[in-house]
Amino acid sequence: MEPDSLPTELILTNSRQSLGRINLDWMPQPGNYLDVEGKTYAVLERHHHYQYTVGGYYLQKISLHVKTAQRPTEKSLVEGRWVIGDASCTFNARSELLRCAIHPEGPCEGCRFYEPID
């Protein structure tokens, strides 16, 4: 294991099935996308697992709760962070995980429910 890599367990959220363990050199946040063995997953939750030793606690591993997903093609920059979809629409959730309440799967382009923000 490389010195900067972190053991990570991937758990499929809907079935709670473990997809296996991988080593990551970055700390994925909810809303990030992860490619593993040719499949793309959206990170929904991240849990830290610590272990106590004589010197104190250290981060032993993390668990990522994921779901299969496609990387969104529509993104907007809102207050320094990327959100899914067209943030100029009233119904946009301004979230990294959910596009909108009315048409969550998208696309935003050509959506009949589009209403610009006043």
Side-chain angles (χ1 to χ4, degrees):
M1 180 170 73
E2 297 99 43
D4 292 334
S5 67
L6 187 61
T8 305
E9 181 176 12
L10 298 177
I11 301 168
L12 200 55
T13 298
N14 56 355
S15 66
R16 297 185 184 202
Q17 171 190 1
S18 176
L19 298 173
R21 295 175 189 249
I22 59 174
N23 289 321
L24 295 177
D25 59 355
W26 62 292
M27 186 72 72
Q29 301 290 326
N32 289 143
Y33 290 85
L34 189 64
D35 294 318
V36 178
E37 297 178 359
K39 293 185 180 178
T40 301
Y41 299 97
V43 177
L44 303 177
E45 294 181 36
R46 182 182 73 201
H47 297 271
H48 297 167
H49 302 272
Y50 292 90
Q51 183 168 354
Y52 181 75
T53 61
V54 175
Y57 288 96
Y58 76 95
L59 184 57
Q60 180 184 20
K61 72 173 186 172
I62 62 173
S63 297
L64 297 178
H65 293 260
V66 299
K67 71 173 186 173
T68 56
Q70 291 182 342
R71 289 183 187 271
T73 56
E74 300 172 305
K75 293 183 182 179
S76 301
L77 189 61
V78 176
E79 298 176 3
R81 64 187 177 91
W82 289 100
V83 299
I84 299 175
D86 184 354
S88 68
C89 178
T90 302
F91 300 112
N92 184 275
R94 286 152 190 81
S95 165
E96 300 91 348
L97 300 173
L98 180 67
R99 180 184 312 269
C100 74
I102 295 175
H103 195 49
E105 296 301 317
C108 293
E109 185 177 331
C111 178
R112 64 186 176 124
F113 301 106
Y114 177 82
E115 287 185 22
I117 295 175
D118 292 333

